[in-house]
């Protein structure tokens, strides 16, 4: 039921003291009446004036932007991007914070989620509480690392490229994106008109010169002639959701762990150029694969972790990957065709894994979508008796929930590491290594 128009508090302003950071790129504050506010563009400890952007008299909480800073945090900087700020682009959450402060805030979020959802302190999770920057990302305050190798541009009604505003379909036209990787920026997408398009995805592969754009037309619109500042392959998203080649290769070649991976049709690959290598290193250091091990790579995508495992378990070992996306499965099979004892199955993990008949494995890697693996999948995995499980998580809340499920089935967290692979945003990547709880003799 929608609120009556006169109960809306949108546009109301309050002077508040900003409390702790919360999951989602905002901080918590309260009005004098005790009403909870989720405040963007603020930092803990600041005194600010906020303007409500969502909520009504009967809402459990209100969303708001800090529109005036009365007492600033020492961690505050002027946002380097002209499109960052209240009512503007929603892509970045922390442009107004020093880089070190951003990592501290992300660490506080991970710690809070672990405590609230899994009942674990950082020490109990084998984590030192730090969020590590990716190689090359340590930049001075007021500067921005250009890391995003995949950018989805929204196109407004006039054909201008931009990015969506926070929690909105409205488009903020831009002249350039500071966090876009050089390979994306050099395409010059923002300088072109994209009339008739709903979105343009730009991809700049890591480790190759492959560049790709994926066009999503509005219903009934014709494709434009794509002339950009660098050679690109062009794909089109059909109305049924299928992706079709217009010209050039239907895939890009990504490089990680000394292997080349084909990723087709704009499929998933880690967005930060250092992310794939960083995560493979963390996972392999945590699992310590041995020759002859059997391993699972769940939600395996184009086969990144399956390839790393196959390299390390050798000819006498075996790896099974499971992935739901048809094109990703084709890519994974292509990418890992050199390994005779690697098999890739298509299907949802919770359905495909029981069908395999596997009853025990040595190692498991799971890199689930943002929602996490879930209770039933965790229960099934715990029954396979793996000596170690690596859980790669892009959402600390889902990670903490699943860690709690693992604990209920006899696994504990051995170590946890957190990486800042999405600078300027609230996102953080974690790698948790789990092992069976030793039974008392």
């Amino acid at each position: 039921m929608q609120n009556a128009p006169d109960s809306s508090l949108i546009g109301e302003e309050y002077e508040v003291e900003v409390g702790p950071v919360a999951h989602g790129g905002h901080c918590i504050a309260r009005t004098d009446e005790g009403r909870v506010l989720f405040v963007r563009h603020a930092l803990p400890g600041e005194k600010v004036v906020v303007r409500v952007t969502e909520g009504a008299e009967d809402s459990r909480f209100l969303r708001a932007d800090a529109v005036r800073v009365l007492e600033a945090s020492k961690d505050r900087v002027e946002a380097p991007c002209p499109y960052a700020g209240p009512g503007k682009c929603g892509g970045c959450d922390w442009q107004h914070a020093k880089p070190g402060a951003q990592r501290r805030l992300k660490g506080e979020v991970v710690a809070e989620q672990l405590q609230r959802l899994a009942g674990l302190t950082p020490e109990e999770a084998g984590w030192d509480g730090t969020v590590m920057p990716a190689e090359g990302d340590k930049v001075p305050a007021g500067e921005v690392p250009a890391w995003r190798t995949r950018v989805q541009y929204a196109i407004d009604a006039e054909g201008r490229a931009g990015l969506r505003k926070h929690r909105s379909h409205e488009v903020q036209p831009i002249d350039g994106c500071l966090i876009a990787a050089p390979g994306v920026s050099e395409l010059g997408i923002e300088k072109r008109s994209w009339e008739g398009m709903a979105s343009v995805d730009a991809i700049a592969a890591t480790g190759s010169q492959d560049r790709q754009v994926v066009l999503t037309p509005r219903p009934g619109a014709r494709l434009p002639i794509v002339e950009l500042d660098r050679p690109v392959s062009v794909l089109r998203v059909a109305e049924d959701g299928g992706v079709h080649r217009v010209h050039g290769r239907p895939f890009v070649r990504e490089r990680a762990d000394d292997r080349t991976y084909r990723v087709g049709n704009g499929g998933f690959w880690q967005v930060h150029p250092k992310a794939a290598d960083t995560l493979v290193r963390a996972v392999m250091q945590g699992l310590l694969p041995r020759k002859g091990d059997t391993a699972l790579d769940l939600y395996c995508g184009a086969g990144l972790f399956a390839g790393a495992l196959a390299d390390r378990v050798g000819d006498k070992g075996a790896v099974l990957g499971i992935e739901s996306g048809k094109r990703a499965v084709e890519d994974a099979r292509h990418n890992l065709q050199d390994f005779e004892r690697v098999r890739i199955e298509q299907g949802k993990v919770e359905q495909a894994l029981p069908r395999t008949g596997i009853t025990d494995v040595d190692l498991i890697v799971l890199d689930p979508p943002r929602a996490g693996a879930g209770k039933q999948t965790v229960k099934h995995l715990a029954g396979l008796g793996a000596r170690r499980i690596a859980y790669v998580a892009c959402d600390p809340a889902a990670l903490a929930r699943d860690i709690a499920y693992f604990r209920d089935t006899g696994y504990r967290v051995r170590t946890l590491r957190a990486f800042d692979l999405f600078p300027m945003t609230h996102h953080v990547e974690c790698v948790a290594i789990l092992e069976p709880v030793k039974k008392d003799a």
Side-chain angles (χ1 to χ4, degrees), residues 44-376:
E46 293 187 326
K47 185 177 283 186
V48 300
V49 174
V50 302
R51 183 177 298 142
V52 176
T53 56
E54 286 182 46
E57 291 283 358
D58 58 351
S59 299
R60 286 193 307 115
F61 59 84
L62 306 176
R63 295 184 183 274
D65 287 339
V67 292
R68 290 199 301 284
V69 179
L70 306 178
E71 292 178 15
S73 164
K74 62 179 174 43
D75 291 325
R76 178 173 283 275
V77 294
E78 189 74 30
C81 176
Y83 306 110
K88 298 179 183 178
C89 171
C92 290
D93 305 291
W94 298 117
Q95 290 250 355
H96 58 288
K98 293 176 181 176
Q102 293 182 34
R103 293 191 286 273
R104 285 200 305 277
L105 292 170
K106 294 182 188 192
E108 289 171 19
V109 168
V110 173
E112 190 268 337
Q113 297 295 304
L114 285 172
Q115 181 65 59
R116 189 166 65 85
L117 298 172
L120 292 176
T121 64
E123 293 76 20
E124 289 168 332
W127 176 44
D128 65 6
T130 61
V131 176
M132 297 298 295
E135 182 187 337
D137 272 2
K138 278 200 167 183
V139 296
E143 291 187 23
V144 176
W147 57 271
R148 195 171 187 95
T149 60
R150 290 162 181 248
V151 177
Q152 183 177 70
Y153 294 91
I155 309 300
D156 70 10
E158 297 172 35
R160 295 176 300 178
L163 298 168
R164 296 202 184 279
K165 297 183 179 182
H166 182 61
R167 293 175 60 85
S168 169
H169 293 294
E170 192 177 345
V171 178
Q172 167 70 62
I174 62 171
D175 294 326
C177 175
L178 290 185
I179 65 171
V184 169
S185 297
E186 69 187 15
L187 297 178
I189 284 171
E190 302 94 339
K191 297 186 292 187
R192 303 292 191 277
S193 173
W194 299 97
E195 198 171 337
M197 298 300 104
S199 66
V200 176
D201 289 45
I203 298 168
T206 299
S208 77
Q209 292 300 307
D210 293 351
R211 305 288 181 262
Q212 188 176 81
V213 294
V214 184
L215 306 178
T216 303
R218 298 182 190 278
R222 298 181 61 181
L223 284 185
I225 295 173
V226 178
E227 293 180 341
L228 294 173
D229 294 352
R230 293 288 187 277
V232 293
S233 60
V234 179
L235 307 180
R236 172 179 61 87
V237 178
E239 291 190 26
D240 64 1
V243 182
H244 306 284
R245 184 178 71 90
V246 178
H247 69 74
R249 289 193 188 99
F251 59 85
V252 295
R253 293 162 299 176
E254 302 279 3
R255 187 84 182 158
D257 195 40
D258 295 326
R259 293 186 63 80
T260 297
Y261 289 84
R262 185 183 85 181
V263 182
N265 289 4
F268 176 80
W269 187 260
Q270 291 290 342
V271 177
H272 193 294
K274 300 291 184 182
D277 277 330
T278 298
L279 295 174
V280 165
R281 196 177 310 120
V283 167
M284 296 304 137
Q285 286 172 351
L287 291 181
L288 297 174
R290 303 168 187 162
K291 298 295 184 186
D293 275 344
T294 57
L296 295 176
D297 179 12
L298 307 179
Y299 316 93
C300 73
L304 173 65
F305 295 115
L309 286 165
D311 260 340
R312 291 158 175 83
V313 303
D315 295 341
K316 291 187 169 57
V319 180
L320 171 68
I322 298 178
E323 165 60 40
S324 62
K326 184 182 177 194
R327 178 59 202 243
V329 167
E330 291 173 8
D331 286 337
R333 288 172 177 164
H334 169 85
N335 294 332
L336 306 177
Q337 60 187 324
D338 297 346
F339 297 108
E340 289 184 10
R341 291 175 59 78
V342 172
R343 192 167 101 243
I344 307 294
E345 295 286 339
Q346 184 183 351
K348 293 184 176 179
V349 167
E350 62 270 24
Q351 296 166 357
L353 185 54
R355 286 201 306 263
T356 65
I358 290 172
T359 56
D360 63 281
V361 294
D362 297 306
L363 303 171
I364 299 171
V365 180
L366 64 155
D367 185 4
R370 193 165 297 283
K375 192 172 188 176
Q376 288 308 115

Side-chain angles (χ1 to χ4, degrees), residues 9 12-17 29-37 50 52 57 59-60 62:
L9 292 175
E12 289 291 317
E13 294 190 355
Y14 301 92
E15 185 177 309
V16 298
E17 289 198 13
R30 289 181 183 272
T31 66
D32 290 341
E33 300 82 33
R35 196 184 292 273
V36 176
L37 296 160
V50 302
V52 176
E57 291 283 358
S59 299
R60 286 193 307 115
L62 306 176

